[in-house]
Amino acid sequence: MSTSAKTDQPTGMTVTTPAEREIRIERVFDAPRELVWQAHTDPDLVARWWGRGNRLDIERLEVERGGHWRFVEHGPEGVSGFEGRFREVSPRERIVQTFEWDGMPGYVVVNTTTFEDLGDGRTRVVTTSLFFTTEERDGMLSSGMEQGLSESYRALDRLLVDLA
Amino acid sequence: MSTSAKTDQPTGMTVTTPAEREIRIERVFDAPRELVWQAHTDPDLVARWWGRGNRLDIERLEVERGGHWRFVEHGPEGVSGFEGRFREVSPRERIVQTFEWDGMPGYVVVNTTTFEDLGDGRTRVVTTSLFFTTEERDGMLSSGMEQGLSESYRALDRLLVDLA
């Protein structure tokens, strides 16, 4: 059941809530899958878009089953840490990893991200987030996450142009 | 809804499944609450019972909101790491923390543990575990977790006698 759908023009990010404890986010990038994959897994590249222009320290990014990741973003409103661990890594196809913000420690989300080659030099990235409770999901939806991610993805658009 | 209840004599540990994604474990210790709390939060004491006689390295145990913990158990069948983070710490009363085993990285459980002073020198410890899915809960139930925890709690009984 889809309880809401919103397309954020012009970036074309679509946010839906396919189940009570889930958020699904779909976005198409005008770049080949290999490049989009690198931008998600190479620490030097991640640092150039994930923080939306804010300085981002990649403290750990061990892209393999069991590996940990931890990013620290230095924004105008302060310092925010984010971390998690990889459940599954299938190169260029799929990553399953946990996500946790220092501001709500222990409130873990499982993000499953797929990278689909659209065959015309574009790539569709879909992330489904699973929360422990519906309340935690709704808290994320009301936290400004959509706007933040939308800004990150626009920065990723620009990076992909630079890399091409 | 309680779908099962089992009392493991003589330790008196009771395991139930109060909801689809939960396990509840209740155990009474013949020791005052202050001592039971210390045995759960002082690294030198945790190392003496959590590993059930196996060597346990306490790599991190930051008992405060946002703090991390990580234990490495050295058993006859190999080395196992366990880790998580504290959501909430109310001294002598309640701990909410995540739990994750290196063997299934990213399969996070939220454990809420309460310490109840029974007024006669005994303490009731109740842990409710919340899983992302029922399958993950059932995997934990079939993993030997009950026997392992029962052994840990018997080791804790002995430690509490030594400390008294």
Side-chain angles (χ1 to χ4, degrees):
Chain A
M1 58 185 165
S2 181
T3 55
S4 79
K6 183 163 57 175
T7 298
D8 166 37
Q9 296 298 347
T11 68
M13 189 174 94
T14 304
V15 179
T16 54
T17 49
E20 282 187 351
R21 295 188 284 121
E22 290 180 10
I23 300 172
R24 180 184 185 279
I25 295 175
E26 180 175 332
R27 175 67 146 74
V28 173
F29 294 92
D30 193 15
R33 184 166 69 165
E34 175 64 32
L35 217 52
V36 177
W37 172 263
Q38 286 175 17
H40 277 79
T41 54
D42 178 322
D44 293 337
L45 299 183
V46 172
R48 290 170 63 181
W49 66 272
W50 206 92
R52 304 159 291 130
N54 291 326
R55 179 181 134 208
L56 189 75
D57 295 339
I58 309 282
E59 294 189 351
R60 298 176 86 170
L61 182 54
E62 304 153 357
V63 186
E64 60 183 4
R65 181 174 181 276
H68 294 79
W69 66 271
R70 180 170 171 82
F71 304 162
V72 177
E73 183 178 350
H74 299 258
E77 291 169 8
V79 176
S80 270
F82 303 87
E83 63 181 44
R85 199 167 184 189
F86 291 95
R87 265 195 196 186
E88 182 188 328
V89 176
S90 301
R92 287 171 297 285
E93 289 184 355
R94 183 177 142 99
I95 292 177
V96 186
Q97 68 194 116
T98 57
F99 172 96
E100 186 177 349
W101 171 50
D102 282 358
M104 287 188 64
Y107 288 84
V108 178
V109 185
V110 179
N111 288 333
T112 301
T113 301
T114 56
F115 301 81
E116 184 189 354
D117 182 349
L118 294 179
D120 55 1
R122 295 184 309 148
T123 304
R124 178 184 290 127
V125 176
V126 176
T127 297
T128 303
S129 301
L130 175 65
F131 296 77
F132 275 113
T133 67
T134 305
E135 293 68 32
E136 290 171 29
R137 180 200 66 177
D138 292 345
M140 178 70 89
L141 285 172
S142 63
S143 73
M145 172 274 295
E146 284 186 51
Q147 190 189 336
L149 185 59
S150 177
E151 290 170 11
S152 292
Y153 278 167
R154 277 181 225 153
L156 177 52
D157 283 334
R158 294 189 292 273
L159 174 64
L160 291 167
V161 168
D162 287 351
L163 295 175
Chain B
M1 58 186 165
S2 181
T3 55
S4 78
K6 183 161 58 174
T7 298
D8 166 38
Q9 296 298 349
T11 68
M13 189 174 93
T14 305
V15 179
T16 54
T17 50
E20 283 187 352
R21 295 188 285 121
E22 290 181 10
I23 300 172
R24 181 184 185 278
I25 295 176
E26 180 175 333
R27 175 66 147 74
V28 173
F29 294 92
D30 193 15
R33 183 166 69 165
E34 174 64 33
L35 218 53
V36 176
W37 172 262
Q38 286 175 18
H40 277 80
T41 53
D42 178 321
D44 293 336
L45 299 182
V46 171
R48 289 170 64 181
W49 66 271
W50 206 92
R52 303 160 293 129
N54 292 325
R55 180 181 132 207
L56 188 75
D57 295 339
I58 309 283
E59 294 188 352
R60 298 176 86 170
L61 182 53
E62 304 151 356
V63 185
E64 59 184 4
R65 181 174 181 277
H68 293 79
W69 66 271
R70 179 170 171 83
F71 304 162
V72 177
E73 183 178 350
H74 299 258
E77 290 168 8
V79 176
S80 270
F82 303 87
E83 62 182 45
R85 199 166 183 190
F86 292 95
R87 265 195 196 186
E88 182 188 328
V89 176
S90 301
R92 286 170 298 283
E93 290 184 356
R94 185 176 142 99
I95 291 177
V96 186
Q97 67 195 117
T98 57
F99 172 97
E100 186 178 351
W101 171 50
D102 282 358
M104 287 188 66
Y107 288 84
V108 178
V109 185
V110 178
N111 288 333
T112 300
T113 301
T114 57
F115 301 81
E116 184 189 354
D117 182 349
L118 295 179
D120 56 0
R122 296 184 309 150
T123 304
R124 177 184 291 128
V125 176
V126 176
T127 296
T128 303
S129 302
L130 176 64
F131 295 77
F132 275 113
T133 67
T134 305
E135 293 68 33
E136 290 171 29
R137 181 201 65 178
D138 292 346
M140 178 70 90
L141 285 172
S142 63
S143 73
M145 172 274 295
E146 284 186 51
Q147 189 189 339
L149 184 59
S150 177
E151 289 170 11
S152 291
Y153 277 167
R154 276 180 226 152
L156 176 52
D157 283 332
R158 294 189 293 273
L159 173 64
L160 291 166
V161 168
D162 287 351
L163 295 175

